[in-house]
Amino acid sequence: MHKTRLRYYGKPETKQDMPYQAYFEVADHSGMMSMVLWNSLCPEWYNSMKIGTVLLLEQYAIKTSYPFKTQTAPGDLHMKRFSSIVDSFLEITLNVRDPPTKINIIPEHKVKAEWKLPEVKYRFITRSELDNLPNNHFCDIIGLVQYVGRTERTRKREHGEDFWIHRWVHVIDGTSELPFILELFTTSQPDIFEQIHPMTYLVCTQMRVIRDSTENSSCPIYLTTSNESQMFITGWHKGQPYTKDTKVKNFIQWIKTQKEVSHMERMAMGGYYPFPPVPDTFLKYCKNIKVESVLTTISEMEKEIESLHYREHKRIAFQGIISAIRYVSCSNTSQDASGVEPMQIIRRSSLQTFVTDNEHVKEGSTRYRQTGERISVQRSSSVQQQRIETRKGRAKRKIAAVELHKLLKQKQFSKNESQEVKETTQSSKNNKEIADVSVRVQAERMCHNSWESALWAAVKDNLTQHLNYSSVFPESFPCKFNYAHKEFLMQQCNLQAARCKPKECVTNGEMTNFENACPLEYYEVAILGINHDIAIDVAFLPVCCPEDSHLFRTEGTPSYAVLSHTSDTSCQQETVNKKGHSETFSLADKVVKAAADLEKQHIICILDICSLGENKVEVFLNKVYKITEDDIANQT
């Protein structure tokens, strides 16, 4: 009736050859009880025991169930569960010995009516019904996948070495304009988890409702997987018991009335996805977080960021002062004469530049990183895999990058800054890594929307430490789904392949087929420490999608509200038009004004940090809290 993910319980001192365990819920006409599969029986039988499979079990043991085991929500609420005299649930135990269990799978055509086996029942809901369900309610859903986020990892415990792997997915079913928002953790179905892509039909069972029951909650309702959740996509539905469910049939009828072209514009993959939104107040944030220390100092932040594992995602909070903000547009509006796409922007402390690199840009230090990342999704086939750096090489590049930073800082750039930057770079020929970098500043793409406080102007040249994590990479922007490059897009969004596949090579001509699902723009925000001696530069990405605003942003929440210490619900959400600058500047002006309103105020910043691999780390400003007396009392 139900099936959990496969659990590995091995430890260094464990003597078991195959320390695996999996729970099932099995039933006959008299009732339902748990069944646990142990050790070497798991790799032999786990994949064969599907929902709806009929089993003949012999020589099994009966034991009292583990008291803290999760319980499923049966489709048939009247089905009896077997318990012992002391009200503990009983379970069937299947072992390879003591006693050696005999397991047989009965083919469907041999199942006899006189056995009176119960049918597998489900609890499917539609999106229009979701808003009326209570927190922690279990349900099943079916829908058309609209958005698939990248795979990320979070630690199970703060200092532990085990990770949860998850991704965010949007699914629509035609009963509401809003999608199901799904937090999908890996089940023991890697072939399905990694093949989820837009325009596929997704079924998720035993999903748990997550909603904030407090008044004025800003967090939309969403669903998360449970220990018993199962996922199925197009190609896996045939023969599944849920195909007989009425709501599944209704969805199929709705799909038959739809035209693919009407949905393709809204399909997207990957990118930074700030969900679930942080609470409205810092007190609520403190209650929800499960770490030893809520606040991190800026001096500790560099160590925290550099300790991230591959695709590890964290949220951290620290106290500081918003001191400067700059609007940056990195829209891919031009191409180099050689046909090579413009590269990712380079950030050098107080200088904003856009860089086109015809050669491979060497990596600099973490703090003053000079990355030449393509705005397009994939490097050309001529770019080889990045070689492993030696410690000596990294030290050389770090010294050279700092020297270049000092030289650039002394220059006052005008409209012909392109040639000056090129000459400055060529003057550093004593270092081969720097001499190879060919840069061209595109000053006409810099926007006037910026602000810095008087305090920042006074202290920015005398800081003892200035961390720079304001780089934004192509992986940070969601990409529109493209059938022609479906396999490549899935590869970019997954942690790793379930099986070895040759890496797809995308040519420069094919790269033009990739469209971004939101404007290529963001803000660089300088945050000063409360002692005015250290600072950190981070990025603020107003994640939005012109065609479908609710896809990447909480409904009704303007992007500049993140920088506002009050909840301004009266402000109307504005659409960013990539073809017209007036709307873009209007939104940028509001964001800059919101930052300026926080001048000299001590605030608490919530950052989303994620390691993308290859020494690339995202650091995005997610939320700003104005410090109140209640917050101070809570931290003392």
Side-chain angles (χ1 to χ4, degrees):
M1 307 294 285
H2 300 286
K3 177 180 179 178
T4 68
R5 61 169 59 93
L6 194 64
R7 175 177 171 262
Y8 176 80
Y9 64 90
K11 295 180 180 179
E13 64 275 10
T14 302
K15 296 181 180 180
Q16 292 284 351
D17 291 336
M18 295 186 181
Y20 293 101
Q21 178 201 64
Y23 270 94
F24 302 81
E25 298 294 329
V26 294
D28 62 11
H29 68 279
S30 63
M32 182 171 70
M33 67 188 302
S34 296
M35 179 184 78
V36 58
L37 196 66
W38 287 99
N39 304 325
S40 60
L41 291 179
C42 289
E44 182 179 357
W45 290 99
Y46 180 81
N47 286 331
S48 300
M49 295 182 179
K50 306 181 188 304
I51 306 298
T53 298
V54 178
L55 301 175
L56 172 62
L57 306 176
E58 300 176 84
Q59 297 180 202
Y60 55 83
I62 296 289
K63 295 184 179 179
T64 302
S65 181
Y66 178 63
F68 301 107
K69 173 186 169 294
T70 60
Q71 298 295 331
T72 58
D76 186 353
L77 299 178
H78 303 290
M79 185 169 288
K80 177 184 176 182
R81 274 188 178 272
F82 293 101
S83 60
S84 66
I85 299 176
V86 293
D87 237 9
S88 297
F89 289 113
L90 297 175
E91 65 185 23
I92 297 171
T93 301
L94 307 183
N95 282 300
V96 72
R97 56 180 176 271
D98 302 327
T101 303
K102 295 181 181 179
I103 304 173
N104 287 289
I105 293 179
I106 308 298
E108 187 176 357
H109 67 276
K110 290 187 178 181
V111 176
K112 298 179 181 180
E114 56 263 31
W115 293 345
K116 299 179 181 178
L117 296 179
E119 291 186 1
V120 178
K121 293 186 179 181
Y122 293 87
R123 308 173 75 178
F124 278 95
I125 64 163
T126 62
R127 180 58 184 87
S128 60
E129 297 170 335
L130 176 61
D131 293 332
N132 298 322
L133 297 181
N135 189 43
N136 286 326
H137 179 85
F138 283 86
C139 60
D140 311 313
I141 67 105
I142 183 172
L144 177 70
V145 176
Q146 189 179 43
Y147 166 73
V148 178
R150 65 191 181 198
T151 301
E152 294 180 345
R153 305 196 298 165
T154 54
R155 292 183 190 267
K156 294 182 179 180
R157 298 178 183 85
E158 184 179 3
H159 300 295
E161 296 181 356
D162 293 331
F163 293 85
W164 293 114
I165 301 174
H166 69 100
R167 71 190 330 159
W168 293 96
V169 174
H170 285 200
V171 172
I172 57 174
D173 68 355
T175 65
S176 171
E177 294 183 357
L178 297 176
F180 287 109
I181 301 178
L182 310 178
E183 182 184 29
L184 300 184
F185 287 87
T186 50
T187 60
S188 298
Q189 302 168 286
D191 288 342
I192 293 179
F193 184 80
E194 295 175 357
Q195 289 294 316
I196 300 174
H197 62 81
M199 295 302 294
T200 191
Y201 308 152
L202 175 66
V203 168
C204 294
T205 64
Q206 290 290 302
M207 299 293 287
R208 186 163 58 92
V209 175
I210 303 295
R211 69 183 308 156
D212 190 345
S213 57
T214 58
E215 294 183 6
N216 302 321
S217 172
S218 62
C219 183
I221 187 171
Y222 67 96
L223 302 175
T224 187
T225 51
S226 66
N227 196 40
E228 294 79 22
S229 291
Q230 296 279 294
M231 305 175 197
F232 303 94
I233 57 174
T234 304
W236 296 77
H237 299 308
K238 187 176 180 180
Q240 297 295 340
Y242 56 74
T243 55
K244 302 174 184 177
D245 190 273
T246 302
K247 288 184 178 176
V248 173
K249 292 179 179 179
N250 291 341
F251 169 77
I252 298 301
Q253 289 301 318
W254 173 75
I255 280 293
K256 291 179 179 179
T257 66
Q258 302 300 298
K259 293 183 179 179
E260 183 178 292
V261 66
S262 63
H263 291 282
M264 281 300 293
E265 279 298 312
R266 298 186 176 189
M267 302 294 161
M269 295 188 73
Y272 165 63
Y273 185 72
F275 200 89
V278 294
D280 294 330
T281 66
F282 185 59
L283 285 178
K284 290 181 182 178
Y285 176 85
C286 295
K287 291 177 182 178
N288 293 342
I289 199 166
K290 298 177 181 178
V291 294
E292 295 176 2
S293 177
V294 174
L295 289 177
T296 302
T297 64
I298 294 183
S299 58
E300 297 171 340
M301 198 171 302
E302 185 174 28
K303 182 179 179 181
E304 186 84 16
I305 293 172
E306 292 181 350
S307 67
L308 291 174
H309 285 231
Y310 176 61
R311 289 286 181 94
E312 181 182 356
H313 174 268
K314 277 187 179 180
R315 273 186 178 165
I316 56 178
F318 71 97
Q319 190 175 350
I321 305 169
I322 299 286
S323 301
I325 186 170
R326 302 175 186 86
Y327 170 82
V328 180
S329 175
C330 44
S331 297
N332 189 9
T333 56
S334 62
Q335 246 187 350
D336 188 69
S338 63
V340 179
E341 299 283 347
M343 309 295 274
Q344 172 64 32
I345 68 146
I346 288 178
R347 170 79 171 94
R348 298 187 183 91
S349 187
S350 59
L351 174 68
Q352 290 173 274
T353 60
F354 293 86
V355 178
T356 300
D357 186 6
N358 297 330
E359 302 176 18
H360 181 58
V361 179
K362 309 289 185 180
E363 283 195 353
S365 68
T366 302
R367 188 173 305 163
Y368 300 104
R369 187 177 294 111
Q370 297 181 9
T371 43
E373 295 291 339
R374 298 186 186 281
I375 282 298
S376 54
V377 181
Q378 173 72 358
R379 293 185 180 91
S380 66
S381 58
S382 63
V383 180
Q384 302 298 320
Q385 185 179 6
Q386 183 183 18
R387 64 181 180 83
I388 300 175
E389 295 183 325
T390 62
R391 187 174 299 177
K392 182 177 178 181
R394 285 198 302 268
K396 268 187 175 181
R397 277 183 287 277
K398 185 172 182 177
I399 294 170
V402 173
E403 289 176 353
L404 179 60
H405 161 70
K406 290 179 180 177
L407 287 170
L408 293 174
K409 195 173 181 181
Q410 294 170 359
K411 294 288 181 181
Q412 297 296 326
F413 288 91
S414 61
K415 292 182 181 179
N416 345 354
E417 290 167 341
S418 302
Q419 187 61 31
E420 291 183 20
V421 173
K422 187 174 181 180
E423 292 173 358
T424 304
T425 305
Q426 291 175 348
S427 69
S428 302
K429 288 184 178 179
N430 58 325
N431 188 295
K432 293 182 179 180
E433 268 81 19
I434 299 294
D436 291 336
V437 180
S438 174
V439 296
R440 178 166 55 88
V441 178
Q442 298 169 333
E444 69 277 6
R445 287 158 67 186
M446 294 180 62
C447 181
H448 69 281
N449 300 93
S450 63
W451 165 84
E452 71 173 30
S453 67
L455 175 61
W456 179 249
V459 304
K460 65 181 179 181
D461 294 327
N462 300 311
L463 298 172
T464 59
Q465 189 178 24
H466 190 176
L467 304 178
N468 175 33
Y469 290 104
S470 61
S471 297
V472 177
F473 304 97
E475 296 95 320
S476 302
F477 294 103
C479 188
K480 284 192 175 182
F481 179 64
N482 186 325
Y483 267 123
H485 299 299
K486 179 185 72 173
E487 294 297 327
F488 170 73
L489 290 172
M490 287 192 295
Q491 186 182 65
Q492 295 299 301
C493 292
N494 280 311
L495 185 69
Q496 62 188 40
R499 55 178 60 89
C500 183
K501 296 179 182 177
K503 191 170 183 179
E504 181 180 346
C505 179
V506 180
T507 65
N508 287 337
E510 291 172 325
M511 286 182 193
T512 58
N513 295 328
F514 291 101
E515 294 183 59
N516 289 94
C518 69
L520 300 179
E521 59 186 24
Y522 67 98
Y523 298 83
E524 295 175 340
V525 183
I527 305 171
L528 187 64
I530 56 177
N531 293 327
H532 303 173
D533 56 344
I534 56 179
I536 182 172
D537 294 342
V538 299
F540 167 48
L541 186 65
V543 187
C544 57
C545 183
E547 291 84 0
D548 191 7
S549 60
H550 68 254
L551 185 58
F552 293 109
R553 185 190 302 164
T554 303
E555 190 71 17
T557 303
S559 61
Y560 57 86
V562 173
L563 292 171
S564 177
H565 59 266
T566 59
S567 180
D568 188 0
T569 56
S570 62
C571 296
Q572 298 297 317
Q573 180 174 329
E574 296 189 34
T575 301
V576 179
N577 187 346
K578 289 186 278 188
K579 295 181 180 180
H581 293 287
S582 58
E583 293 181 54
T584 303
F585 290 167
S586 175
L587 178 60
D589 287 338
K590 291 179 180 294
V591 176
V592 172
K593 183 180 183 302
D597 289 342
L598 296 172
E599 183 175 8
K600 296 183 180 180
Q601 295 189 40
H602 286 196
I603 45 88
I604 295 175
C605 300
I606 308 299
L607 298 183
D608 283 336
I609 60 176
C610 183
S611 170
L612 303 177
E614 298 180 340
N615 292 330
K616 295 183 292 186
V617 180
E618 281 182 350
V619 182
F620 283 119
L621 178 63
N622 184 303
K623 183 78 173 180
V624 168
Y625 292 113
K626 183 180 178 182
I627 298 178
T628 64
E629 293 181 1
D630 291 338
D631 296 327
I632 297 174
N634 186 64
Q635 295 301 313
T636 56

